[in-house]
Amino acid sequence: MKEYLKIHPDVAKALQEKRPVVALESTIIAHGMPYPENLDMVNRVEAIIQDEGAVPATIAIIDGFIHVGLSKDSLEMLAKSDQIMKISKRDIAYATSQKKHGATTVSATMLIAEMVGIKVFATGGIGGVHRYAEQTFDISRDLEELASCDVAVVSAGAKAILDLPKTLEYLETKGVEVIGYQTDRLPAFYTRDSHYPVDYRLDEPLAIARLMDAKWSLGLKGGLVIANPIPEPYSIQSSWINEKIESALQEANALQIKGKETTPFLLSKVKELTKGESLKSNLELVYNNARLAAQIASSYATITQSKG
Ligand code: PSU
Ligand code: MN
């Protein structure tokens, strides 16, 4: 495995010393946001995590190597280039063996985090069951990796480009807890409330870390969804954003956008239709998630250190 992996020395040291580390995905950089906002975003996210006393580990494939913790040059390349593969599980072996550059989705990032022992991961929104999945079969690989990797994923829920009730059903089938942070209901990415209940509400990072410790100490394999609502000032009015999402979905359908292109297409279309409002909110919710993830990682590190 080592021949394909390059762990940044700061990350390796923190893992060895059982200090808090937060994994970050790179699809959000290469395919989720435009340049230069994407580069500002990742720099700020890494700074937030450091300010909270944790070590950021952004994950991507560079020249066929799986990097855990990226240099400034690599981050810039991912942010600027349009030659970056979108990497889910089925793409990892191809990209590494063919020496490609690739940005990892939630699913691939979880897999790699688990390989190196990172337990907490911050992102914007998870993938899920797409709307009309009964016709397209389009269900994100993210849900399978949530089912099997021991990693807690902090997100602002799943956005309404997806079918939220079906996504929740799928997570239930797979035994993945959906934990609302200071909320009883699943946030819907750009908006604080989807009206669908979460499984459990926990109000403190330490309580979430205790649940993670209980789950994995009991050998209950798999991840958790930590759903963290977007801060109120940046929340977008739901009827307005849902109208834009509906138009984006119709356009995707008319253009026959399929497979891995769907999510990036919808994100950029929604940004265009909202004249950039959605991107502003997207940035703020990612910062909010990074902060909570670092706090959870710190609490979890305290628990594992106390166990020796
Ligand atoms: N949701 C966002 N922004 C993103 C993604 C999801 O708000 O950039 C990305 C994540 O990397 C997620 C991926 O893992 O899209 C899901 O893609 P798909 O639906 O093709 O599985
Ligand atoms: Mn898909």
Side-chain angles (χ1 to χ4, degrees):
M1 187 160 104
K2 285 208 179 83
E3 63 186 300
Y4 295 105
L5 263 179
K6 290 195 179 180
I7 307 182
H8 191 285
D10 294 350
V11 176
K13 192 154 182 283
L15 287 171
Q16 201 196 356
E17 293 170 359
K18 295 187 176 173
R19 283 187 287 117
V21 177
V22 175
L24 300 165
E25 60 150 316
S26 44
T27 293
I28 190 174
I29 306 171
H31 307 284
M33 290 179 187
Y35 178 81
E37 286 90 344
N38 55 359
L39 188 58
D40 293 344
M41 180 275 299
V42 66
N43 286 328
R44 182 140 169 225
V45 162
E46 293 199 348
I48 288 169
I49 290 169
Q50 280 163 344
D51 284 349
E52 292 288 339
V55 175
T58 305
I59 293 177
I61 298 180
I62 310 286
D63 280 323
F65 288 97
I66 296 174
H67 284 249
V68 181
L70 292 177
S71 67
K72 293 282 174 211
D73 285 352
S74 294
L75 289 174
E76 191 163 334
M77 196 265 292
L78 287 172
K80 277 185 176 165
S81 169
D82 56 2
Q83 300 295 311
I84 309 291
M85 290 177 67
K86 177 178 164 185
I87 304 281
S88 178
K89 182 179 183 179
R90 56 118 189 248
D91 311 297
I92 296 176
Y94 175 83
T96 52
S97 61
Q98 291 291 316
K99 305 287 177 212
K100 300 287 186 194
H101 299 317
T104 52
T105 59
V106 169
S107 70
T109 307
M110 287 188 81
L111 270 166
I112 295 161
E114 180 165 76
M115 281 178 199
V116 302
I118 301 174
K119 299 292 190 186
V120 182
F121 165 18
T123 184
I126 57 166
V129 180
H130 281 259
R131 294 208 210 167
Y132 316 111
E134 64 277 22
Q135 288 149 36
T136 62
F137 271 43
D138 193 352
I139 299 174
S140 177
R141 179 74 204 168
D142 293 358
L143 299 182
E144 294 298 324
E145 250 47 75
L146 277 163
S148 63
C149 299
D150 295 359
V151 177
V153 181
V154 180
S155 77
K159 69 174 72 57
I161 60 172
L162 300 170
D163 187 321
L164 298 181
K166 286 197 183 73
T167 300
L168 288 172
E169 287 297 339
Y170 201 97
L171 289 167
E172 191 221 315
T173 301
K174 296 290 179 177
V176 177
E177 298 89 341
V178 178
I179 307 292
Y181 177 66
Q182 299 182 347
T183 180
D184 298 300
R185 290 195 295 200
L186 183 70
F189 200 80
Y190 302 120
T191 52
R192 289 176 59 82
D193 188 356
S194 68
H195 303 291
Y196 301 105
V198 293
D199 301 324
Y200 300 104
R201 170 185 177 144
L202 293 172
D203 290 344
E204 302 292 336
L206 180 60
I208 296 170
R210 286 205 182 110
L211 186 147
M212 289 158 57
D213 182 57
K215 174 166 172 142
W216 297 325
S217 297
L218 289 165
L220 298 170
K221 283 288 300 169
L224 325 88
V225 174
I226 314 296
N228 187 28
I230 184 171
E232 187 68 62
Y234 306 105
S235 181
I236 303 182
Q237 205 226 338
S238 69
S239 58
W240 186 72
I241 191 79
N242 285 332
E243 211 177 273
K244 308 296 176 198
I245 289 170
E246 203 52 63
S247 313
L249 282 162
Q250 276 169 19
E251 189 160 341
N253 200 26
L255 295 171
Q256 300 202 337
I257 307 284
K258 289 201 175 67
K260 70 202 294 187
E261 309 305 329
T262 303
T263 298
F265 176 87
L266 292 173
L267 287 171
S268 86
K269 198 49 38 193
V270 170
K271 182 201 157 212
E272 187 188 310
L273 294 172
T274 61
K275 301 194 168 56
E277 277 304 302
S278 66
L279 179 58
K280 254 193 257 167
S281 295
N282 199 343
L283 291 166
E284 292 299 332
L285 65 85
V286 173
Y287 303 145
N288 193 46
N289 294 342
R291 195 169 305 110
L292 177 60
Q295 291 165 357
I296 294 169
S298 299
S299 294
Y300 187 77
T302 308
I303 294 172
T304 47
Q305 281 169 2
S306 74
K307 289 185 166 184

